Amino acid sequence: MSLFRSRPARFIPLFVCLAASALLPGTVATVRAAELRIALQDAESAAPLADAVVEVLLPAELQAAHTTTGEFSVDQIDKEFVANVTVVPRGSSVRFPNSDDILHHVYSFSPAKVFELPLYGNGQNIEYQQLFDVAGVVELGCNIHDWMLGYVYVAQTSLALKTDAQGQATLSGVPPGTHEVRVWHPRARSGAPELQQRLVLDDATPASLRMAVTLDRDNRLRRAPNPTRERYR
Amino acid sequence: MSSLFAFRSFRTRLLVFLLALLLPVLLGIYVFVNRENNAYTDDTIDSYLQLGADVFDFTREEHKNTLLTITSTMTRDWGFRNAFGTGDPFTIIDAADNILMRSLGAADMMLIASMEGEVIIDTRMQGFEKLEGEWRALMDAAAASSDGIGDAIITVQGIPYQITVIPLFLPTPVAWIFGGFPLENRFAATVKQSIVSDVSIVEFTQDALAQALPEVHVIASTLSEANQQLLRAQLQQAGTTSTGTQRIALSDGEYGTLLRPLYGQPGDSLQIVAVIQKSYNENMENLEAFQSVLLQFYLAVIAISLIAVILLARSVTRPILNLARRVRRIEAGDYGQAVAVTSQDEIGQLAGSINTMAAGLAEKEKVRDLLGKVVSHEIAEELLSKTIALGGEERVVTVLFADIKGFTSLCENLAPEAVLTLLNRYLSEITEVIERHHGVVDKYTGDSVMALFGAPLSRPGDASNAIATALAIQSTMASLNAANLAQGMLAIEAGIGIHTGLVVAGNLGSKNRLNYTVIGDSVNLSARLEGLTRRYHVPNIVSEATRLEAPGFVYRELDLVRVAGKKEPVRIFEVLGREGEVSAQVLQEAAAFAQMLAYYRAQDWQAAMREVEALLAAQPEGAREHSVYGVYAARIAALRDEPLPPDWDAVHTFDKK
């Protein structure tokens, strides 16, 4: 149950209530978008699971039609990345402004995006943008503050959402059909089979994905407590 | 027994007994102290070793923490992160070497593996691509821990390494960083600096199938090369199962030895132990110093005791030797020089007893001498040969007093030397006569002699002997007087008083001067009777008691008298001679005197006077006044003109002594 476990985890049974709307045989579907309602919770505490990302993986030929790139921003406030998890469609650009009055040194060695913004302060690198054109999870770190850890989830398309504080998200505009749906969370055990499922979505009735996710313990380094330097925040 | 403990001197005996008492006690103390000290040394060594083992572990722990600090800090270095980010093994291994150099030797090796256990780099180039065995186990243990940190001892190319592992955060864990330092001589020397005990790291290799002794290899040691070989050989025999202190002899003495397992279990094919050793000799140095002090103290105690014993023995033996010399002198007949009694103890009492004994012996000797002088040799020997009770005893004795009448007037005409010569001559004659009749001269009082018949020895006929003595003295005096008269000197007459009665006989006097004598009324009466011879003008007066005891002699009754100090009247007689030897004239005179006495007692004064005058007329002219008849003539003349009391008993009372 350790966050450092590197082998595939044992299978943890979880209830996946695929309360998908009944397929109505013989009904001719009009070409309309389907809707997926997601509700996630922590398998251990049964609490709503926020900041989890749900992405509908579309076949390559459908991806372009459902991708709308944009400009995003991951701020650094009080020596933390805000937001902690940022979902961007592939091809979007992200800025990393510094709202603290000390310098930060943002880096990523993740395969999806290796980059570095050497020491810069408040107001600097405002216009500097990083293009995230490879899908994947980019782990952001700060070379000055080892505990700072943020994620940029680079989705294949725009069909990806982050759950809110209630652990819910509603993904609309999905082309009906049978799709792979992926659930990701920073602490979700990677490679767990239930995290990627095939769902049948149609436009008549919203599909619903309810899932309890088994989490590893928080693996980030502890923030150094330093009350004497309170003024630098 | 007696031969074993037959000592020539008291001092030797005391010495032997003292040593017999003292030495076991001292030996016991020595053994006890020695045992306690050895136990203390063992305890000290044990705690040294236990402490050493703990410090060994502590030092290893500290080194481990240092290693973790190094790997944790240095791998978060931006340069290293960049290098790792390149994914190029050659760059990463250079960066790792760089970290090892920066650690100034605190870290000796580094191995980096992916989170899945794929080896990325290994500064020791051990040649495996995937973590296996102990490395894998260590990784799994770290992954299972809460902080991702783990440590183990792993042999790297034959050398035991302290290995730590920590994840590399980039910023999430992306790799395992293993760091290590060798448990080698340098580490052993570091530990030795802290614990002042020798440290060795020893490897045991055991073929699982073979029953032979394990291969033992000393990996690191602070011991000398020679001692390492000794340790190796002995550990090969002893094995690694012992958990307590064992003694292992090295070239410079025994070492307390404690094993602390580092790797593997007893019986495993490979086992590595830390060996902590402390020399007993170093601790024994203090003990030996203490033993030396103890021995010196013992010598002092024994010396003081010996001196004390010798002094004590001398204080005892010196008076004893003095006593022995004194006894030898007594044995030789020297009774003088009494030993000074200075103490109140047994020896003092013995000395007092010897002094008393010597005084007694001297007195006895004196008695023997005196006895020889006063009594005949036969009597003296007879007296001495019998056990004489010298204590007071009552016995019937005939006491004879002989006095020289008119001695005082004799002295007026003579020079003192002549008086003494004359006196001694008479006394010698009298004494000789007494002894010849088995009498004992009791004492000489001036011109009188007191003699005893029946004391200290009684023999039959004591009273008769006394009477015979009186008669013999009288005849001796007569012959002496005849000679003196021929030389123109005055005649000397003796007065003799004899009485037989109960006396107390015994030694009288002080402790130092004893006299054997008799005391009692009988003695006094004898003396009185002797004194009365002057009143009655007779040569001797014998009491009725003696007369009854001494038959065979002719007596005439003189009077019935009451002497001074006595109530009972005494009938007194004059002995005239042995029966058959008295002349008819004397017997006739005695018969006439008896007739006169009868008239006198019947108060027939006329007849009595007639008889007395007849007797007086028969006396020579000059002797009439100084005769018993003259005494009676005067008494009758006085009595017949006085009225007599009705109870007149004819007893004449002498008030004066």
Side-chain angles (χ1 to χ4, degrees), chain A residues 2-7 105 107 109 116 139-143 146 148-149 151 217 219-221, chain B residues 76 78 81-82 85 115-116 136 139-140 143-148 167 169-173 176:
Chain A
S2 168
L3 69 161
F4 298 102
R5 187 172 295 277
S6 51
R7 289 181 203 161
H105 180 162
Y107 68 86
F109 287 101
E116 171 189 6
E139 294 168 349
L140 304 173
C142 172
N143 201 38
D146 270 350
M148 286 176 69
L149 176 57
Y151 301 91
R217 278 176 296 184
N219 63 352
R220 72 165 69 190
L221 288 163
Chain B
R76 286 176 203 169
W78 178 240
R81 276 173 167 166
N82 265 328
M115 295 307 282
E116 288 73 35
R136 188 91 206 179
M139 187 189 86
D140 289 345
S145 75
S146 62
D147 53 4
F169 290 92
L170 210 61
T172 54
W176 296 108

Side-chain angles (χ1 to χ4, degrees), chain B residues 622-637:
Chain B
R624 282 177 190 164
E625 195 182 343
H626 296 291
S627 73
V628 67
Y629 311 127
V631 171
Y632 268 97
R635 195 185 291 173
I636 292 165

Side-chain angles (χ1 to χ4, degrees), chain A residues 118-129:
Chain A
L119 288 170
Y120 65 101
N122 196 339
Q124 295 176 313
N125 288 339
I126 297 292
E127 299 305 320
Y128 186 87
Q129 296 190 347

Side-chain angles (χ1 to χ4, degrees), chain B residues 367-529:
Chain B
V367 165
R368 183 192 292 266
D369 284 352
L370 282 176
L371 221 49
K373 286 170 186 165
V374 250
V375 299
S376 66
H377 184 67
E378 291 79 13
I379 292 175
E381 285 305 310
E382 193 178 350
L383 285 172
L384 291 169
S385 66
K386 294 186 177 173
T387 308
I388 301 167
L390 289 180
E393 57 170 351
E394 282 196 325
R395 61 195 305 159
V396 175
V397 173
T398 301
V399 183
L400 180 148
F401 274 88
D403 184 53
I404 296 168
K405 286 183 182 174
F407 181 73
T408 315
S409 55
L410 186 70
C411 292
E412 288 172 2
N413 302 322
L414 287 172
E417 293 85 3
V419 170
L420 212 59
T421 306
L422 187 64
L423 190 56
N424 281 342
R425 193 162 140 211
Y426 276 86
L427 289 178
S428 293
E429 290 288 344
I430 291 171
T431 301
E432 198 270 329
V433 169
I434 292 169
E435 289 181 358
R436 200 167 62 223
H437 291 86
H438 311 295
V440 172
V441 173
D442 182 80
K443 59 172 77 75
Y444 297 95
T445 313
D447 53 357
S448 75
V449 178
M450 173 180 163
L452 306 176
F453 295 83
L457 283 173
S458 62
R459 53 169 61 219
D462 280 334
S464 298
N465 283 335
I467 298 298
T469 301
L471 293 174
I473 288 172
Q474 281 172 220
S475 69
T476 301
M477 296 299 284
S479 57
L480 275 174
N481 281 338
N484 284 344
L485 284 171
Q487 290 173 11
M489 295 172 69
L490 288 171
I492 295 174
E493 289 181 20
I496 297 168
I498 299 172
H499 174 63
T500 300
L502 211 54
V503 297
V504 173
N507 282 311
L508 266 177
S510 70
K511 188 176 69 176
N512 293 323
R513 187 182 156 91
L514 289 172
N515 271 332
Y516 181 82
T517 187
V518 296
I519 51 173
D521 283 345
S522 298
V523 181
N524 295 335
L525 185 57
S526 296
R528 298 279 176 277
L529 296 182

